[in-house]
Amino acid sequence: MGELRELKFASERYWKKELSAGELEETGRQLRARHWKLQRDAGIDYIPSNDFSFYDGLLDTACLLGMIPERYRKLNLSPLDTYFSMARGYQGEAGDVKALAMKKWFNTNYHYMVPEIEDSCEIALEGTKPFDEYDEAAELGITTKPVMAGPFTLLKLARFTGNKRAEDVKNEVICAYREILRKFDDRKAEWIEFDEPSLVRDLGEEDSRLFHDLYFDILSGKGGVKVLLQTYFGDMRDCYEAITALPFDGIGLDFVEGRQSLPLLKTYGFPQDKVLFAGVVNGKNIWKNHYAGTLELAEKIQNEAGEVVLSTSCSLLHVPCTLKNETKLEEQYRRYFAFAEEKLSELADIRAVLESEEPGKQEAYLSNQRVFGEARGGQNPAVRERVNSLGEKEFTRLPKFEEREAIQKKRFGLPLLPTTTIGSFPQTKEVRANRSAYKKGQIDERQYQEFNCRKIEECIRLQEELGLDVLVHGEFERNDMVEYFGECLDGFLFTEKAWVQSYGTRCVKPPVIWGDISRRRPMTVSYAAYAQSLTEKPVKGMLTGPVTILNWSFPREDISLKECACQIGLAIRDEVLDLEAAGIGIIQIDEAALREKLPLRRQDWREDYLSWAIPAFRLVHSGVKAETQIHTHMCYSEFGDIIEDIDRMDADVITFEASRSDLTILDALNQCGFRTEVGPGVYDIHSPRIPSTEEIVDALEKMLSKIPAEKLWVNPDCGLKTRGEEETAPSLRNMVLAAEIVRAAR
């Protein structure tokens, strides 16, 4: 995106037809040049190219190989606009198509576009992007290591929409990757990196065979190019021996999240004819590297391998660009952090210290030791005592779900297929300007709140006019569903420009969990109560759950995630009880990120994560009355394999992302006997297109073939914050009309 999100703003101007394609491309060229030079000047030896993307790297690979579904080709748009239609959907003179599905990238907060492989798809090298960008860097005098998604991960993450499967397209993929190697060999490229993070997941025999077949043939045609197999987010415990036996020239291992990476190295050794790219600097968190521990690790790695290249554990996509823009962050905090640029310096420091004759006397090492030798602060004994005193009753809600469900249906008297939204309404320029003016001291708190109350009233009246059954206040006071709560809680730090890409041009600024967390005052009660005073219809109180606040922040490393989640959970519990006392009968506690930090290996799910993540949510709502209805929401993740655990959250209503995944979650709900009322999203809010009434009716009919009508809610996929007002009202109007049509037919 660039340190000031230059690509975001250029892309969005292009979509609004305020910028030409040539001008957008020029922005990309400037950013690539800046980042290549930055890495060169930092002393990075293996500088990547083809890691730039206008939207998503996996989508880039799909387009490169001609994996463009026919519905997008038929639009007859330019290659760039076809690409964006796959990413964002398209609605215009050329046609009307939804975007590709979007899912979370392994255990990160980044989203990737899911490639589709139709039966008619012919996979072959079709584009030139990696070669163009390699040549572009070469013209600047910078030799790069081209990077792209590997064939195994591409096929594992792709969605096969017809009868074809990976085995059916394997030979086409092999030919395409061999052609890529040939073109780089012609350019005298020294290295090419194929990223294969799917290797750190559980692999079966079929997976191992597919991987072997792909690379056995691809590597046989690599010519003079050296091939680096790069893994990250875990270890290769299922396939280490088999993969190190293949003729890769280099293998990249993650020694931060890869629990077994070092034991595998010690047990099986590492081929002396290969280069080990050792991920020793955390690419996903923003805390300064502790040199003493990393130096000890690096020495152990060197004892087991020949040539070793020091690296970050994964792409630096997952951390902010640079600390230099954080002018308001006090030095007492700043000295503990390392963003992307600073991690480049850490790699240089670690190498210099390792190469010195007296590592312990190097100033870089001594300076680092001073930071880690000091007490950091942020402890709150009262918070820790409250967590330690938690018992079983704080995690158990009574009465049981079935009894609560009957009580709530009687209280609210909602129609069949009740309609609602997920929470936020469009954050217009006017809304953002009001918040900015308040933060800059240009208006006082009374003026700020009066504006928000006017917007809340407008939002309530709009929802009443549209005919929604359960309303929301619109969240005009919130810049972000996590940052807002962090600002109201003790224990968090905030940055000015530490943006991280979430998907496409959507960037977030994750809070930093610095110390023990507690609530110092009510956070949402006044706005929720005001909204409820404006209408006879129920208004949902809107909160973010403890696991999502934890997962969408940069977490501490000095206490366990479980303890941190319980601290946040107690703070949100206090807010839930205050909302209930203020007369709010429906409270939504979003756990959008519940699945994101689920360990990549199934054997670690319950012991290492779900054993505390599910109870943390139950802690939040276990104290409410039977007639108070608790909702939660989960977005872009795959839920089928943890549906039973989600049911154990003991919410009354759960809404899911579903529209981009063709409602495949419905089968999983049925298979496990899901008892909770559900609202699978009926249309995609991450796309600017307006769904038709007929389209939503079709979705509801499909849902009703698998979900009892008395269990089904009707809602969009997610909050409407990122949408424009011109799209929001017609989309919701069509949704309400669709619900009325289906309701009347029953």
Side-chain angles (χ1 to χ4, degrees), residues 182-230:
R182 187 189 66 76
K183 285 185 174 290
F184 277 118
D185 192 28
D186 289 345
R187 285 168 166 76
K188 307 299 182 187
E190 182 180 4
W191 284 91
I192 181 169
E193 174 183 320
F194 292 141
D195 286 356
E196 292 289 7
S198 287
L199 291 176
V200 307
R201 283 182 161 156
D202 296 317
L203 299 182
E205 289 185 12
E206 186 176 336
D207 294 322
S208 298
R209 184 167 56 252
L210 174 63
F211 183 90
H212 179 274
D213 291 349
L214 286 166
Y215 276 102
F216 184 82
D217 283 347
I218 289 170
L219 295 175
S220 67
K222 69 186 182 73
V225 181
K226 295 178 181 178
V227 175
L228 165 62
L229 173 76
Q230 182 65 54

Side-chain angles (χ1 to χ4, degrees), residues 277-548:
F277 287 72
V280 296
V281 170
N282 194 335
K284 288 169 66 175
N285 213 338
I286 45 79
W287 300 101
K288 189 182 290 287
N289 183 277
H290 190 179
Y291 289 176
T294 301
L295 290 169
E296 182 180 349
L297 172 62
E299 289 173 355
K300 291 177 180 178
I301 292 169
Q302 286 182 316
N303 290 337
E304 306 296 334
E307 183 179 353
V308 177
V309 174
L310 299 176
S311 176
T312 55
S313 62
C314 63
S315 163
L316 295 176
L317 170 75
H318 309 292
V319 294
C321 285
T322 177
L323 263 172
K324 69 185 181 186
N325 294 320
E326 302 307 314
T327 59
K328 296 179 182 179
L329 195 62
E330 296 177 26
E331 181 59 26
Q332 62 173 312
Y333 305 121
R334 183 188 184 94
R335 61 203 304 259
Y336 288 93
F337 299 136
F339 295 173
E341 284 192 28
E342 291 73 36
K343 290 182 187 294
L344 302 181
S345 299
E346 289 186 329
L347 286 170
D349 283 350
I350 294 166
R351 174 168 63 180
V353 172
L354 275 172
E355 291 176 346
S356 68
E357 294 184 0
E358 296 183 287
K361 294 184 178 181
Q362 299 300 305
E363 178 52 34
Y365 178 84
L366 293 171
S367 175
N368 186 266
Q369 285 294 88
R370 286 192 290 272
V371 171
F372 283 90
E374 299 173 359
R376 206 180 69 194
Q379 286 76 34
N380 185 328
V383 171
R384 298 198 174 192
E385 174 57 29
R386 194 178 176 196
V387 170
N388 292 335
S389 65
L390 289 171
E392 183 59 32
K393 65 182 178 63
E394 281 84 17
F395 297 96
T396 305
R397 187 179 177 193
L398 295 173
K400 300 272 185 198
F401 172 82
E402 291 75 15
E403 186 177 341
R404 300 196 313 261
E405 185 177 33
I407 292 170
Q408 292 162 13
K409 285 188 180 296
K410 183 177 180 180
R411 175 185 181 181
F412 297 111
L414 297 170
L416 202 65
L417 309 179
T419 56
T420 189
T421 67
I422 301 306
S424 58
F425 265 63
Q427 294 276 312
T428 62
K429 288 182 179 179
E430 185 184 25
V431 171
R432 294 195 299 272
N434 177 62
R435 189 163 52 240
S436 176
Y438 176 59
K439 288 189 173 184
K440 292 176 180 177
Q442 297 168 349
I443 59 174
D444 61 25
E445 186 173 10
R446 180 187 58 81
Q447 293 170 301
Y448 170 70
Q449 291 179 346
E450 285 179 350
F451 173 90
N452 287 335
C453 287
R454 288 196 301 273
K455 293 301 295 183
I456 289 170
E457 183 169 7
E458 291 174 12
C459 187
I460 293 293
R461 300 298 170 236
L462 173 62
Q463 293 172 85
E464 288 182 323
E465 185 268 321
L466 292 170
L468 288 158
D469 299 306
V470 176
L471 314 186
V472 297
H473 79 284
E475 303 181 19
F476 302 108
E477 78 283 9
R478 305 183 193 182
N479 48 358
D480 177 84
M481 65 181 290
V482 172
E483 187 173 19
Y484 174 79
F485 288 96
E487 289 173 342
C488 298
L489 296 169
D490 288 330
F492 283 85
L493 291 178
F494 301 91
T495 59
E496 294 173 81
K497 296 181 173 63
W499 298 98
V500 179
Q501 187 180 12
S502 175
Y503 65 86
T505 61
R506 169 75 172 145
C507 298
V508 294
K509 197 150 48 68
V512 178
I513 301 178
W514 172 264
D516 293 331
I517 295 166
S518 60
R519 188 187 74 145
R520 57 182 175 270
R521 59 177 174 80
M523 303 177 284
T524 67
V525 177
S526 61
Y527 285 131
Y530 175 69
Q532 186 62 80
S533 74
L534 298 172
T535 181
E536 295 298 316
K537 291 187 174 184
V539 174
K540 288 191 288 189
M542 300 299 304
L543 303 173
T544 304
V547 179
T548 295

Side-chain angles (χ1 to χ4, degrees), residues 511-636:
V512 178
I513 301 178
W514 172 264
D516 293 331
I517 295 166
S518 60
R519 188 187 74 145
R520 57 182 175 270
R521 59 177 174 80
M523 303 177 284
T524 67
V525 177
S526 61
Y527 285 131
Y530 175 69
Q532 186 62 80
S533 74
L534 298 172
T535 181
E536 295 298 316
K537 291 187 174 184
V539 174
K540 288 191 288 189
M542 300 299 304
L543 303 173
T544 304
V547 179
T548 295
I549 290 177
L550 176 61
N551 285 346
W552 284 356
S553 301
F554 288 117
R556 300 166 63 175
E557 295 182 328
D558 60 330
I559 67 171
S560 70
L561 294 177
K562 175 182 178 180
E563 183 176 354
C564 197
C566 284
Q567 290 182 4
I568 303 170
L570 285 168
I572 302 300
R573 178 188 177 94
D574 293 342
E575 187 74 10
V576 168
L577 295 176
D578 280 352
L579 282 168
E580 183 181 59
I584 305 301
I586 299 178
I587 303 172
Q588 181 172 311
I589 308 160
D590 289 337
E591 284 294 16
L594 177 74
R595 199 188 191 283
E596 288 178 21
K597 301 304 181 189
L598 190 72
L600 297 178
R601 294 188 179 276
R602 189 178 290 263
Q603 68 188 68
D604 301 328
W605 284 3
R606 282 163 184 85
E607 181 178 349
D608 291 355
Y609 183 71
L610 294 172
S611 62
W612 58 262
I614 300 300
F617 181 83
R618 294 169 70 109
L619 171 65
V620 166
H621 69 85
S622 64
V624 302
K625 301 171 184 175
E627 60 264 29
T628 298
Q629 190 173 74
I630 297 296
H631 291 222
T632 190
H633 173 71
M634 298 176 189
C635 55
Y636 288 92

Side-chain angles (χ1 to χ4, degrees), residues 27-219:
T27 300
R29 276 190 288 273
Q30 291 175 4
L31 285 171
R32 291 191 294 270
R34 183 193 308 169
H35 296 158
W36 285 326
K37 291 174 182 177
L38 178 71
Q39 293 173 82
R40 179 195 61 192
D41 295 345
I44 299 299
D45 298 304
Y46 297 87
I47 298 172
S49 60
N50 194 46
D51 55 338
F52 171 88
S53 179
F54 279 116
Y55 206 94
D56 169 60
L58 201 63
L59 179 61
D60 294 339
T61 304
C63 291
L64 177 72
L65 302 182
M67 294 163 56
I68 302 173
E70 285 300 315
R71 63 186 182 276
Y72 301 108
R73 291 188 186 273
K74 288 179 180 178
L75 296 172
N76 292 316
L77 301 173
S78 69
L80 181 61
D81 288 342
T82 299
Y83 172 86
F84 283 134
S85 72
M86 296 169 70
R88 306 176 65 243
Y90 176 89
Q91 195 168 47
E93 294 180 1
D96 184 356
V97 293
K98 296 181 182 180
L100 292 173
M102 185 162 62
K103 293 183 180 179
K104 289 289 183 173
W105 181 247
F106 294 85
N107 59 356
T108 76
N109 293 333
Y110 177 74
H111 307 62
Y112 71 94
M113 306 305 302
V114 181
E116 284 186 14
I117 299 179
E118 299 174 322
D119 284 349
S120 60
C121 176
E122 295 182 6
I123 298 174
L125 182 60
E126 196 171 278
T128 61
K129 179 181 181 295
F131 316 113
D132 295 341
E133 293 182 13
Y134 178 85
D135 294 342
E136 196 177 304
E139 290 175 4
L140 296 172
I142 300 173
T143 300
T144 60
K145 172 195 62 176
V147 175
M148 63 185 300
F152 179 71
T153 294
L154 177 67
L155 291 177
K156 291 296 293 182
L157 299 184
R159 178 175 171 231
F160 291 84
T161 61
N163 296 317
K164 282 184 176 180
R165 293 296 177 263
E167 189 66 27
D168 302 311
V169 300
K170 179 178 65 179
N171 290 336
E172 293 178 14
V173 171
I174 289 169
C175 290
Y177 275 81
R178 283 172 62 103
E179 179 67 6
I180 290 167
L181 288 172
R182 187 189 66 76
K183 285 185 174 290
F184 277 118
D185 192 28
D186 289 345
R187 285 168 166 76
K188 307 299 182 187
E190 182 180 4
W191 284 91
I192 181 169
E193 174 183 320
F194 292 141
D195 286 356
E196 292 289 7
S198 287
L199 291 176
V200 307
R201 283 182 161 156
D202 296 317
L203 299 182
E205 289 185 12
E206 186 176 336
D207 294 322
S208 298
R209 184 167 56 252
L210 174 63
F211 183 90
H212 179 274
D213 291 349
L214 286 166
Y215 276 102
F216 184 82
D217 283 347
I218 289 170
L219 295 175

